[in-house]
């Protein structure tokens, strides 16, 4: 139902306020159980992935352009609209992608449930850059990764920038968190992966590493690739717990790639390719 907004102080718009304040969003989103999806393509992928919309926010001049998407909304989901300039003053940036959607955060599955039929898995350890998180998800979707696991100190895949960079593929690749106070990462987490039949491969620079194209990796029926944050890389305990330490062969004296680029190379090498890819 389309509902014109007459006041930007309307409490129904609280979910959209101060979207550019990273620290505030990180505090509020887990507490409220809400995330924000931006653009028709991203919102459509979220809906296709079964995510629940709570409301739409759209400039009034784009109502006809987004008619098909609006038609997909359940009858009880409000579609808030106002002139573009007023909405931009509310959210703090130009609505170049035309539409925002507040959506309910899903209840994340257990690691065991997520990996029931998985054979190639990516683990993001402590990656503290939303652009890298989004880019890794996009590569995971494109290159046939079955699932993604994120550690407690990894940035949120459902933060607005991560969603945007991923082009909505965070809604296509199954994911959950691995590690907690009761089952800390990496010790309990790697042990659970082993219990579920996975070999674990840490992408890291190490004297005892093997090359990414080593046949032993491709021969693993179930393989989890562990990727670390920029700069510090993976924890020493993570590397010690993993079955393999893996390097990507480099030329011209380059010692490493950005983690998002490294993930794409690793996924291409070790994941089954779609027919015709």
């Amino acid at each position: 139902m389309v509902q014109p907004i007459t006041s930007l102080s309307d409490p129904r718009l609280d979910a959209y306020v101060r979207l550019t304040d990273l620290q505030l969003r990180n505090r509020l989103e887990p507490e409220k159980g809400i995330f924000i999806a931006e653009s028709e393509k991203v919102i459509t992928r979220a809906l296709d992935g079964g995510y629940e919309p709570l409301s739409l926010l759209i400039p009034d001049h784009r109502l006809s352009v987004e008619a098909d998407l609006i038609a997909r909304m359940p009858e009880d989901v409000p579609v808030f609209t106002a002139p573009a300039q007023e909405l931009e003053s509310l959210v703090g940036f130009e609505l170049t992608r035309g539409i925002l959607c507040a959506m309910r955060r899903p209840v994340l599955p257990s690691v065991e449930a997520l990996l029931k039929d998985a054979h190639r898995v990516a683990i993001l350890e402590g990656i503290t850059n939303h652009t890298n998180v989004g880019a890794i998800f996009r590569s995971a979707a494109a290159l046939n990764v079955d699932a993604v696991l994120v550690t407690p100190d990894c940035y949120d895949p459902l933060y607005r920038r991560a969603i945007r960079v991923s082009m909505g593929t965070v809604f296509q690749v199954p994911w959950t968190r691995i590690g907690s106070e009761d089952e800390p990462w990496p010790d309990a987490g790697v042990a659970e992966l082993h219990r579920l039949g996975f070999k674990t491969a840490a992408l890291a620079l190490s004297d005892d590493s093997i090359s990414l194209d080593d046949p032993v990796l491709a021969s693993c029926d179930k393989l989890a690739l562990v990727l670390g944050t920029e700069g510090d890389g993976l924890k020493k305990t993570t590397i010690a717990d993993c079955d393999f330490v893996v390097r990507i062969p480099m030329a011209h004296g380059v010692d490493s790639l950005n983690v998002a680029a490294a993930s794409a190379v690793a996924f291409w090498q070790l994941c089954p390719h779609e027919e015709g890819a």
Side-chain angles (χ1 to χ4, degrees), residues 43 47 51-56 72-74 77 101-104:
I43 295 168
L47 294 173
Y51 285 73
E52 177 190 356
L54 300 176
S55 67
L56 289 177
R72 290 193 61 179
M73 295 296 113
V77 172
C101 185
M103 309 194 87
R104 180 78 64 194

Side-chain angles (χ1 to χ4, degrees), residues 225-243:
L225 302 170
V226 190
L227 302 158
T229 189
E230 299 287 341
D232 295 336
L234 295 171
K235 300 174 183 177
K236 291 182 179 179
T237 51
T238 300
I239 296 172
D241 286 348
C242 285
D243 298 292

Side-chain angles (χ1 to χ4, degrees), residues 3-254:
Q3 301 182 18
I5 296 297
T6 58
S7 172
L8 296 184
S9 62
D10 191 319
R12 294 175 299 173
L13 300 183
D14 284 352
Y16 299 102
V17 174
R18 293 183 295 276
L19 284 175
T20 56
D21 187 335
L22 172 60
Q23 187 175 16
L24 181 62
R25 295 305 302 176
N26 277 346
R27 289 198 190 104
L28 287 182
E29 285 186 350
E31 181 180 316
K32 290 186 174 181
I34 293 172
F35 68 92
I36 303 297
E38 179 183 353
S39 85
E40 183 273 338
K41 177 182 287 187
V42 168
I43 295 168
T44 296
R45 282 181 170 168
L47 294 173
D48 290 344
Y51 285 73
E52 177 190 356
L54 300 176
S55 67
L56 289 177
L57 181 64
I58 182 170
D60 53 14
H61 72 278
R62 291 191 62 87
L63 285 171
S64 60
V65 176
E66 304 292 356
D68 290 343
L69 180 60
I70 292 172
R72 290 193 61 179
M73 295 296 113
E75 290 186 2
D76 61 343
V77 172
V79 179
F80 301 125
T81 185
Q85 287 186 333
E86 294 185 30
L87 292 184
E88 289 163 15
S89 68
L90 169 70
V91 300
F93 59 88
E94 184 180 358
L95 289 173
T96 55
R97 291 169 180 82
I99 189 168
L100 301 176
C101 185
M103 309 194 87
R104 180 78 64 194
R105 283 177 174 267
V107 176
L108 295 176
S110 68
V111 171
E112 183 170 3
L114 186 78
L115 302 187
K116 180 181 178 182
D117 299 314
H119 292 268
R120 290 293 182 267
V121 175
I123 300 172
L124 313 189
E125 180 186 277
I127 295 181
T128 54
N129 181 295
H130 289 113
T131 297
N132 284 335
V133 171
I136 292 170
F137 266 87
R138 189 172 181 180
S139 293
L143 299 173
N144 221 23
V145 173
D146 295 317
V148 174
L149 304 174
V150 297
T151 64
D153 53 349
C154 179
Y155 272 14
D156 181 14
L158 294 184
Y159 183 71
R160 184 173 60 86
R161 181 167 179 78
I163 293 172
R164 186 171 72 240
V165 171
S166 82
M167 296 297 292
T169 55
V170 293
F171 309 123
Q172 296 178 310
V173 181
W175 70 276
T176 195
R177 291 197 174 272
I178 185 169
S180 64
E181 289 185 6
D182 295 331
E183 298 181 337
W185 174 265
D187 295 341
V190 172
E192 182 174 18
L193 291 167
H194 287 156
R195 179 178 65 81
L196 296 174
F198 282 84
K199 295 291 187 179
T200 51
L203 268 68
L205 299 176
S206 174
D207 291 339
D208 60 351
S209 62
I210 62 174
S211 176
L212 182 65
D213 58 3
D214 192 305
V216 70
L217 297 172
S219 69
C220 294
D221 178 48
K222 295 184 176 183
L223 183 66
L225 302 170
V226 190
L227 302 158
T229 189
E230 299 287 341
D232 295 336
L234 295 171
K235 300 174 183 177
K236 291 182 179 179
T237 51
T238 300
I239 296 172
D241 286 348
C242 285
D243 298 292
F244 310 107
V245 183
V246 180
R247 69 180 184 279
I248 298 173
M250 301 283 174
H252 302 293
V254 177

